[in-house]
Every structure is written in C-alpha cells, then in structure tokens.
Amino acid sequence: MKKIILMLMLFAPLSLFAQKFGHIDAQAVLAQMPEAIKANGELQATAKQYENDLKTMQDELQRKAEEYDKTKSTMNPTKQAETEKALQDMYQKIQQTYQDNQQNMQKMQQEKLQPITTKLVNAIKAVGKAGGYVYIMDVNSGIPYVSDTLSKDVTAEVKAELNKMK
C-alpha cells in the first residue's frame, strides 16, 4: 500500500505542487487610473504656475540689474550700495522661492498620489489573495526577467479590481 501511494506521488503532475506567481507593470496601470491622470494634471498646472512666477521674478531682477548697470556711474556710493543690496535681496528671494516651490511640489505630489498608490496596492493584494498567488511582482522594480510560463501577467485582473473599487 505504501508503495502505491509513493508511486502515485512520484507520477502525480508537478503542477499540483506548483506555486502561482504573477507580475504586473504597476506604473502602466497607475498611469491609466483616472485619479492619477487628474492628480498629474493638477501637479503640472501648479508646476507651470510656479515656473511662471519664478520667470516673472527673474525678469524683474534682470530689468533692475540692467537699469542699475546703466545708471551706476551717476550714483553716489551710498545709492550704489543700496541698489546692490536690493538686487542681492531679490536674487536671494528668487532662490528661496525656488526651494519653497520644490518642497511644496514634493509635498503636494505625495499628498495627491499616496491614496492612489494605496488603492493600486490594495487591488494587487486583492487579486493576489483571490487568485492564490504567492507573489505578484512589479516588473518596474528592477526584476530583469520574468518567465511568461511560470508567472502570469495579472494586469487585467488588477484593472478589473480597481474598477470594482470605484
């Protein structure tokens, strides 16, 4: 009897013991999510506004610097020093505004994209659990090769799960 069981186990298809692996291109899915598209549009609009504001400030600095260069020879030393100080202050203000804008953009990006990426991760987890997958790997995370025969592309399932979550 033990020999029969042992023989059955040896000849049983290996697929009974196989573990399921999946893969997904999470960036591609994220790029197609309506929430992500909207958030990216808002981020781009804010970045453009910041860029325009900085350009205006830089143009004003350039104009005042050119004006100073033209009138410098007729100014007394006190007026020259005041004007140079004002130009330096404007330059520092531009630098500070640039840094503040960068920080604001990073914060805004994190605030807008965090709930969207969390939703995507939850959809991937739901697909993994429902499909009995051991792993679902993101092909953008540095995995150089994913076997199409041993790993299933679960992108369509994740998109379907995201549609259910709306």
Side-chain angles (χ1 to χ4, degrees):
M1 183 69 158
K2 289 182 185 179
K3 288 183 182 181
I4 293 174
I5 293 173
L6 184 59
M7 285 179 54
L8 285 174
M9 287 180 67
L10 288 174
F11 293 110
L14 291 177
S15 63
L16 291 176
F17 303 106
Q19 296 177 338
K20 289 176 70 176
F21 297 95
H23 62 274
I24 185 170
D25 184 349
Q27 289 296 333
V29 174
L30 188 67
Q32 295 173 355
M33 291 175 67
E35 308 96 303
I37 293 169
K38 180 182 176 198
N40 282 328
E42 291 171 2
L43 289 167
Q44 288 175 353
T46 301
K48 185 70 172 164
Q49 180 62 47
Y50 285 166
E51 185 180 316
N52 290 340
D53 293 347
L54 281 172
K55 176 90 171 91
T56 300
M57 293 171 77
Q58 290 169 337
D59 290 347
E60 178 69 14
L61 176 62
Q62 182 68 32
R63 187 186 62 73
K64 287 188 176 190
E66 289 172 359
E67 182 182 310
Y68 170 70
D69 286 341
K70 290 178 186 174
T71 60
K72 179 168 79 169
S73 60
T74 62
M75 291 182 179
N76 65 38
T78 306
K79 182 67 174 170
Q80 275 184 341
E82 287 175 4
T83 306
E84 289 171 1
K85 171 86 168 92
L87 290 172
Q88 183 63 31
D89 289 347
M90 283 182 72
Y91 177 76
Q92 288 174 349
K93 183 178 178 185
I94 290 170
Q95 293 299 316
Q96 186 62 49
T97 301
Y98 176 78
Q99 290 174 359
D100 291 346
N101 289 352
Q102 292 295 328
Q103 290 173 353
N104 289 342
M105 284 301 296
Q106 288 175 347
K107 182 180 177 187
M108 186 180 196
Q109 185 175 24
Q110 185 176 12
E111 288 173 354
K112 290 192 176 293
L113 295 181
Q114 182 64 39
I116 298 167
T117 55
T118 299
K119 182 177 178 181
L120 176 59
V121 168
N122 289 340
I124 293 170
K125 286 179 181 179
V127 167
K129 190 172 186 176
Y133 291 93
V134 176
Y135 294 106
I136 296 180
M137 297 164 270
D138 185 359
V139 295
N140 289 317
S141 64
I143 299 170
Y145 173 73
V146 176
S147 170
D148 290 332
T149 56
L150 298 177
S151 178
K152 180 181 177 193
D153 185 353
V154 295
T155 302
E157 289 96 332
V158 170
K159 286 180 180 179
E161 185 66 30
L162 284 169
N163 287 334
K164 286 188 222 173
M165 291 179 160
K166 288 184 179 182

